[in-house]
Amino acid sequence: MIKEKTDALTIRDLTLDYGTTRAVNDVNLALKPQELGCLLGPSGCGKSTLLRAIAGFHPLTSGEIWLEGKLLTNPSESVLAELRGVGMMFQDIALFPHLTVEQNIGFGLSDWPKSKAKARIGELLDLISLHNLGTRYPHELSGGQQQRVALARSMAPRPKVLLLDEPFSGLDTELRGRLTSEVRTILKGDGICSLLVTHDRREAFDFADRIAVMDDGHICQFDTSFNLYHEPVSPFVAHFVGPGEMVDAKVNDLRSVKTPFGVLKSDIDLGFEIGSDVRIFLRPDDLIQDDDSEHTATLVGKHFRGAHYLYEVRLDNGVLLGCFGLSQHDHKIGERFGVSLDIQHLVVFPK
């Protein structure tokens, strides 16, 4: 990766070890100014270790980290964590119970002129929509309000990049979803480049401009949510960012494959030899109920999702697939109905 002067954060050829265990291997990543990024992956994939290295809490085995065009750290030299201009918001928000909201937000501004610190605190109170609650104490706030105060405290010194280590993991599902979108809006409003760590794909989709999917210490794909979902580069990425199943197919020509549903076409060359065996990845939204279709399936499982059902269906050849159906029609287990494919992005992997 070539370090660009316009990048807010640049990670080049980074390797990190825990003793004899390799936690992160040859990672390259760059975030633009004001961009919101995300490290998404299963537990133990190295995402939190990578975040700690950026913050200055973990030494580098090899590689470099740059911040706004200046070297932050390599194996032989490192800027102290407190001098990096990097903010961090942890899982434990740890507000000071004896300080007011205003005092919590301004905790890291002790070396600022009082007038500027007061203005920054007021600016952040407006940004997090708590301008009337500045004199309250943490125990007088809801969980969501406390989370916003913790965010404002980490933003207050205007860090060059803000790191968020699964800050919503302790919240209930509804509050978590709402806060993720709120935090994105707040950070965009303040123009702070940020990097979130999470194992929750919905949280990543709601928060980030681009997402780095990690597995076993590697970045598998760094891309937009749309491209990760519709154009995954590997089966791991395909499965991790959303449900789906692999179906055997054969390359018909450079832009089509033969499948149990007939010949499916692609807008681009597939990159496989004609006649080679491949697998196509089908998501539930690729398969639709179609009573006029010549292809039928048997309903073997269903999950109510409110506006729709997620059906599990078995094709006549025994293949099991997911399929969405409107919740107004309550099909019974064992029922047969027609299905057809409605694919906008054909995803093909070697077999």
Side-chain angles (χ1 to χ4, degrees):
M1 176 191 296
I2 298 175
K3 177 179 65 65
E4 298 290 347
K5 291 182 180 180
T6 55
D7 289 337
L9 175 69
T10 304
I11 299 170
R12 183 192 294 177
D13 303 328
L14 187 67
T15 298
L16 304 171
D17 292 337
Y18 273 117
T20 59
T21 302
R22 181 136 296 176
V24 173
N25 191 20
D26 196 27
V27 160
N28 290 275
L29 182 74
L31 291 177
K32 300 180 179 66
Q34 303 184 29
E35 184 174 22
L36 304 185
C38 176
L39 302 176
L40 172 67
S43 297
C45 72
K47 54 188 187 296
S48 289
T49 304
L50 178 53
L51 209 70
R52 287 173 55 82
I54 299 169
F57 304 145
H58 193 97
L60 276 58
T61 303
S62 64
E64 300 172 335
I65 301 176
W66 295 72
L67 194 61
E68 294 186 345
K70 296 180 180 179
L71 181 65
L72 204 61
T73 181
N74 62 27
S76 60
E77 54 184 309
S78 181
V79 176
L80 293 174
E82 60 270 25
L83 301 178
R84 293 191 171 200
V86 173
M88 190 136 188
M89 185 175 176
F90 297 96
Q91 294 179 25
D92 183 0
I93 59 177
L95 294 177
F96 300 109
H98 61 291
L99 299 182
T100 65
V101 168
E102 290 179 344
Q103 290 168 336
N104 265 284
I105 293 174
F107 183 79
L109 303 179
S110 58
D111 58 343
W112 283 39
K114 287 187 178 181
S115 59
K116 287 189 176 182
K118 183 178 180 180
R120 178 61 172 160
I121 292 168
E123 178 184 303
L124 287 168
L125 283 170
D126 286 339
L127 197 59
I128 63 174
S129 301
L130 294 179
H131 50 277
N132 294 325
L133 304 180
T135 58
R136 290 195 181 183
Y137 290 86
H139 72 273
E140 299 177 295
L141 305 177
S142 68
Q145 289 171 333
Q146 290 180 20
Q147 206 81 16
R148 278 184 273 161
V149 173
L151 175 67
R153 182 180 62 184
S154 63
M155 294 167 58
R158 294 193 185 277
K160 297 173 182 176
V161 63
L162 177 62
L163 309 177
L164 303 99
D165 190 7
E166 302 201 59
F168 315 115
S169 60
L171 304 176
D172 64 73
T173 302
E174 183 177 352
L175 178 58
R176 185 172 182 165
R178 187 171 72 249
L179 268 178
T180 304
S181 297
E182 286 182 2
V183 168
R184 174 183 168 83
T185 300
I186 291 168
L187 289 171
K188 282 293 186 182
D190 207 43
I192 295 179
C193 174
S194 303
L195 186 61
L196 169 74
V197 160
T198 184
H199 61 271
D200 187 319
R201 67 174 183 270
R202 292 184 181 179
E203 191 170 291
F205 289 169
D206 285 343
F207 177 85
D209 299 317
R210 288 190 295 163
I211 300 166
V213 178
M214 293 189 67
D215 182 41
D216 195 25
H218 297 272
I219 290 181
C220 306
Q221 185 173 352
F222 182 41
D223 219 326
T224 63
S225 301
F226 182 92
N227 288 344
L228 290 173
Y229 191 83
H230 293 292
E231 300 175 8
V233 299
S234 70
F236 174 82
V237 173
H239 282 289
F240 198 82
V241 301
E245 300 294 338
M246 293 290 185
V247 175
D248 289 341
K250 188 178 289 288
V251 177
N252 184 57
D253 58 36
L254 294 179
R255 295 194 176 194
S256 68
V257 294
K258 294 179 181 178
T259 76
F261 293 92
V263 175
L264 301 179
K265 296 184 177 180
S266 171
D267 293 333
I268 60 173
D269 288 352
L270 297 172
F272 296 96
E273 292 185 6
I274 296 174
S276 58
D277 292 323
V278 294
R279 295 180 299 169
I280 60 171
F281 187 74
L282 298 180
R283 298 195 185 278
D285 48 345
D286 293 325
L287 190 65
I288 60 174
Q289 183 183 348
D290 181 1
D291 293 333
D292 296 325
S293 174
E294 61 184 88
H295 304 288
T296 58
T298 302
L299 182 60
V300 297
K302 63 180 184 178
H303 308 277
F304 188 69
R305 294 290 187 261
H308 66 270
Y309 277 105
L310 173 57
Y311 291 133
E312 297 170 36
V313 299
R314 180 183 288 112
L315 304 183
D316 294 337
N317 65 357
V319 173
L320 289 172
L321 293 174
C323 173
F324 286 137
L326 294 177
S327 62
Q328 290 91 334
H329 305 286
D330 187 14
H331 294 285
K332 307 302 180 185
I333 301 296
E335 187 175 338
R336 292 178 62 80
F337 48 74
V339 292
S340 62
L341 289 181
D342 181 20
I343 297 181
Q344 303 299 317
H345 300 87
L346 187 61
V347 179
V348 183
F349 296 112
K351 186 172 180 180

